[in-house]
Every structure is written in structure tokens, then in C-alpha cells.
Amino acid sequence: MDHAADAHRTDLMTITRFVLNEQSKYPESKGDFTILLNNIVLGCKFVCSAVNKAGLAKLIGLAGETNVQGEEQKKLDVLSNEVFVKALISSGRTCILVSEEDEEATFVSPPLRGKYCVVFDPLDGSSNIDCGVSIGTIFGIYTMKGSDPTIEDVLQPGKDMLAAGYCMYGSSCMFVLSTGNGVNGFTLDPSLGEFILTHPDIKIPKKGKIYSVNEGNAKNWDVSTAKYVDNCKYPKDGSLPKSLRYVGSMVADVHRTLLYGGVFLYPADKKSPNGKLRVLYEVFPMSFLMEQAGGQAFTGKKRALELVPKKIHERSPIFLGSYDDIEEIKEIYAAEGSNALCP
């Protein structure tokens, strides 16, 4: 038995240790945020386990209901939602929960109420479960503004988020987190049951070689999007064309963009004039992470984190990724002068 190696393993930077270290920088902290994050991490571990044995446990397949978005719910969607709702409420630190799967926001009863509002997509990319593609959980955290929670507490601009992150369930289980001071990635060590810091201080490359978009919607794009994608394929400055990579699972596509650079785009089009991705629990958390990693997020009109949602399930177009690549998109939109759809 290698006692030296075992001793070294106890010195690993786990996510709990990392968050406690961050907490120690704020003497006034009472540890509420740390407890909340620990419960989110616990929920991710539970869902990771369920995803890994989904086929064996017959968790794959439709649950026979549709969610508020009109999408057929899979059994894992339902399970994941229940896991996170219970984990968040039992933390005793939350007051309002907004989930993709629930039509209305959940207001936590006063005895279990805390000061944090959590918005989340419990299982993003669930249509890819059957073929083993990476899927994930996305979340964002706000602080309640008053003494009593109201729906306005979650209808805040993304720039007011306290923290955001996602957990990706794939060849490995990875938890990516920002508390407003950079982005860090943790990988689950199954033998320890702990997330270990493996990607400290993630910085997205200033310019990337990959673009990620569903080109099946190309005939419905606006002029600016079509022009940018055309530039990716046929660059006019003599540079090499960008490579197209599209999984169709936002967590997987954004994770690759964050690590390798480039741009992920889900623009508005004739079919979805307001875009398709949800502002609160998809656009905002991913935009927050991108900005914290040195990238940008743009809606076609403004900085994504400056949006002020009016409804909890509101949608928006989104372009996010490397700083220079998003600058190019912004320049094209400015030059076109409008978001007129392609004829």
C-alpha cells in the first residue's frame, strides 16, 4: 500500500475546501453561501450517478408529460428536477427557485427560507441522453433584494448574479464555477466521491478556431448571422476557415468553447424571433462564466448580462465566446444597422 500517495490525496483541493478558502476572505461571512453550494454539489453528484446508470435503471424514456416549454419530459428530467428542488430547499438558504421544468417559481416556506434565489436547468440537453452525449445542469444564484421574497428578486439582470456554474455529465463529471472572481473547473474523482480542482483560473483564448451553431436553421437566420457564419467558412482576410463543431447540448458546446476558444451562437430566426435559449437559467449563467473567463456574450443588440427579463421563462438570442470573435459579430451587427431577417 502506497501510504505516501494516499497522504498526498488528502491534500487535494476539493471544491468544499476551495469554497471555504474563498469564504475566509470575507470575515463577515456566516457560511450560508458555502452551505448552499455544497447542496448544489450534492445534487450534481446524485444526478451524475443517475445519468451513469440511466439505461440499466430504465430512467431513459418519456415520463408521459410535457414541461412548460412544450418539450416532452424524460424520466431523468423529472428526477433531476426533484433532486435539485429538494436539495436547495433542504439547504435552508434559499427563498425562490426557478426551474426550466416548472411553470411557476417555487417560493420556499418561511421556516426553511434563506436569502438566496437559484435559477437552474436541472438537465440541459436531455434529448441527447439516449445516444450518450454529454449533458448537464446549469445554475445561477442571486441574493434577495428585500426582506420578503418577490418574483422581482429573480427578474434581475445577469450582471447582478452572485455566482453561476454548470455540471457536465460525460466521459468525466466536471463542475465549472464562478463566484465573480474568475472561473474554476473541478472533476469528480469517483473513488473519493469528491470534486477535485483540475482546471484552475480558466481563461478563454482571445480568438478561437471553432464556431458552433445549428446550421440546419441557416435559411431562417438574419442577415448579420448569415454574414458572420459565411466569414467563418470563407474568411476574406486570408486566415484559415474556422472549424464547425456542434453537439446540440448547450453545456457540452459551451464547455468546449470555454476551454478551446471560438464562438457558440444560437441566434434569433424566423421560427424563433426571440431566440430559443432561456434567459434566466441558460443565457445568464453561461454569459456570466464567459465574461469571468475573459470572453464576451452578446444578444445581437446588447451585452447579454444587461438584459432585464420580464418573465421567468423568457428567451433570447445569444452569441458567446472568445473576445475577438464576439467583437467581429458586434461589428457586423452594427454595420447591418438592423436585425432584419434574411428574405
Side-chain angles (χ1 to χ4, degrees), residues 7-72:
H8 174 69
R9 282 160 67 83
T10 63
D11 193 39
L12 294 170
M13 179 61 78
T14 66
I15 191 166
T16 303
R17 183 177 162 197
F18 178 86
V19 172
L20 285 171
N21 284 353
E22 289 296 302
Q23 179 189 316
S24 68
K25 298 175 184 176
Y26 304 92
E28 71 282 5
S29 174
K30 297 177 182 177
D32 290 347
F33 184 70
T34 301
I35 292 169
L36 173 60
L37 271 180
N38 278 340
N39 278 50
I40 291 174
V41 168
L42 177 63
C44 291
K45 288 178 183 177
F46 193 104
V47 173
C48 179
S49 175
V51 168
N52 287 341
K53 62 187 179 188
L56 294 172
K58 298 187 178 178
L59 287 166
I60 291 175
L62 300 178
E65 300 177 11
T66 57
N67 67 7
V68 65
Q69 312 302 331
E71 300 161 341
E72 291 179 310

Side-chain angles (χ1 to χ4, degrees), residues 83-137:
V83 164
F84 280 104
V85 169
K86 288 176 179 175
L88 291 166
I89 291 175
S90 66
S91 74
R93 302 301 186 274
T94 58
C95 55
I96 308 175
L97 311 178
V98 173
S99 167
E100 185 202 23
E101 301 297 335
D102 296 328
E103 186 170 0
E104 303 292 336
T106 299
F107 285 80
V108 180
S109 60
L112 291 171
R113 188 175 290 166
K115 65 179 180 180
Y116 296 111
C117 312
V118 184
V119 294
F120 61 99
D121 184 346
L123 202 62
D124 181 76
S126 54
S127 61
N128 285 311
I129 294 171
D130 294 4
C131 61
V133 166
S134 295
I135 53 181
T137 297

Side-chain angles (χ1 to χ4, degrees), residues 297-342:
F298 178 61
T299 66
K301 294 181 179 178
K302 58 168 33 171
R303 176 189 175 206
L305 292 180
E306 290 179 352
L307 283 172
V308 182
K310 295 180 175 62
K311 300 180 293 184
I312 62 173
H313 297 297
E314 191 171 309
R315 299 171 188 252
S316 172
I318 187 64
F319 305 82
L320 50 81
S322 294
Y323 191 94
D324 288 353
D325 291 322
I326 300 299
E327 278 296 302
E328 183 182 344
I329 293 171
K330 287 160 76 172
E331 287 169 8
I332 290 172
Y333 267 90
E336 292 297 331
S338 74
N339 292 335
L341 293 173
C342 299

